[in-house]
Amino acid sequence: GVWTLRASKLNVGQSRLAVDVKFDSAPKPPLLTGRDVLAAGLTPGPRIGVILRDAQELQLNGELSSREAALAWLQGRGGLE
């Protein structure tokens, strides 16, 4: 589930700041796997890890929200040789 930490009336210097922090108690499964990257035409090697980390960062930032979007992003990348 999602946990929420709420701190209202947090004093920061002369200002009061209301803060809401939310986080998932369980990590989201990755939208792409190494098999997806291999199927896209990349040969085995360290570049696969770089692509998977990039995809995971985009996923965590909300820029990739579905497997279909992740696969389209993967196909749109240059340098998949």
Side-chain angles (χ1 to χ4, degrees), residues 2-64:
V2 175
W3 293 81
T4 301
L5 171 65
R6 181 171 292 209
S8 58
K9 298 181 182 177
L10 178 67
N11 290 321
V12 178
Q14 297 293 331
S15 304
R16 289 181 180 226
L17 178 64
V19 178
D20 283 336
V21 178
K22 295 181 181 179
F23 60 93
D24 288 328
S25 60
K28 295 178 183 178
L31 296 172
L32 291 178
T33 66
R35 289 182 180 170
D36 296 321
V37 179
L38 291 171
L42 190 70
T43 56
R47 182 105 171 97
I48 291 175
V50 172
I51 290 171
L52 291 175
R53 280 189 297 280
D54 288 349
Q56 184 179 29
E57 184 174 332
L58 291 170
Q59 179 182 351
L60 293 174
N61 289 337
E63 297 175 54
L64 292 177

